[in-house]
DNA sequence: GATAATTTCTACAATATAGAATTTATCTTT
DNA sequence: AAAGATAAATTCTATATTGTAGAAATTATC
């Protein structure tokens, strides 16, 4: 795509928002909350993988926590490129939305 | 998709912006101008068709004009559903962007 | 051993993107 | 004034990429 797709953008913004708490399931919860819709596991993890492939985020596996349950959390953070991409898309976006009757930003 | 894709959104906003002058080639020119990038013919017409299938725009073929050249223009306008969709996406979008360090809307 | 929280993996559906082909009007030339 | 050249626009089609769902696997505590 020429730009971040919408799910990619939502996930990327959510990683930024969650900061130190940005791991898969948490991201999913936050996206669900902000949109009010159901997001399948894949609809979060697949974009996450692709964002990492494109160099917009970096991840690392954390050590197990004392809470019950499974695999270690994989934490994500934005890279410089990721931040730059967000700024780019915000600029373009504003150009499209500005000055429209009934819809000004 | 859960929401308008980004190209769909750009095309839809541009139709709204161009108002009475919203036909394919004109939409393409405007999108190219606002993004500063190349947009192929298909990358405009395919989303246009899908927007119409989904009921977000309506089109009609105009009569030939006195200028030289080919097929009649097909003009597009937003439907009620299209306008509603834009408002919906704007609301969601704001929720994701608001209150972020370095990126507030 | 059961259960829980998380990630990994995989398949299929939908959308993005490019550009050739087609259509149909005016322009140009004779 | 007819015939071919040219131009503006749309329609069509194929391939690449992205979206979406959920089963399977992993690994911790109860």
């Amino acid at each position: 795509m020429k730009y971040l797709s919408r799910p990619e953008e939502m996930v990327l913004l959510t990683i930024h928002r969650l900061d130190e708490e940005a791991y898969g399931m948490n991201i999913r919860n936050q996206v669900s909350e902000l949109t009010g819709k159901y997001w399948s596991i894949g609809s979060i993890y697949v974009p996450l993988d692709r964002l990492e492939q494109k160099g917009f985020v970096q991840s690392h596996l954390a050590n197990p926590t004392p809470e019950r349950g499974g695999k270690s959390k994989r934490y994500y953070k934005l890279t410089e490129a990721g931040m730059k991409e967000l700024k780019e898309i915000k600029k373009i976006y504003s150009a499209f939305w500005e000055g429209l009757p009934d819809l000004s930003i």
Side-chain angles (χ1 to χ4, degrees), chain A:
Chain A
M1 281 234 280
K2 289 189 172 68
Y3 301 102
L4 288 173
S5 71
R6 195 169 306 282
E8 283 172 346
E9 175 193 351
M10 286 179 170
V11 166
L12 197 52
L13 282 168
T14 299
I15 290 168
H16 187 43
R17 178 179 297 275
L18 289 174
D19 196 40
E20 298 293 318
E21 293 304 322
Y23 66 94
M25 284 296 101
N26 225 1
I27 294 165
R28 184 188 183 205
N29 292 339
Q30 178 80 29
V31 170
S32 297
E33 191 168 321
L34 285 177
T35 58
K37 296 200 179 176
Y38 171 79
W39 289 71
S40 70
I41 292 169
S43 67
I44 299 295
Y45 279 101
V46 170
L48 266 177
D49 285 354
R50 289 175 185 159
L51 284 169
E52 187 155 29
Q53 277 168 30
K54 293 176 190 168
F56 295 146
V57 299
Q58 263 191 337
S59 75
H60 75 277
L61 272 173
N63 293 323
T65 51
E67 291 110 42
R68 182 174 185 176
K71 300 195 79 162
S72 291
K73 293 168 183 166
R74 178 176 292 280
Y75 284 92
Y76 291 86
K77 68 174 184 192
L78 263 70
T79 62
E80 281 292 318
M83 183 58 91
K84 191 176 160 201
E85 191 70 12
L86 280 181
K87 286 177 178 167
E88 161 82 359
I89 207 172
K90 190 191 167 198
K91 204 177 67 184
I92 299 287
Y93 196 83
S94 299
F96 274 88
W97 281 84
E98 250 162 25
L100 289 179
D102 317 322
L103 288 172
S104 37
I105 220 162

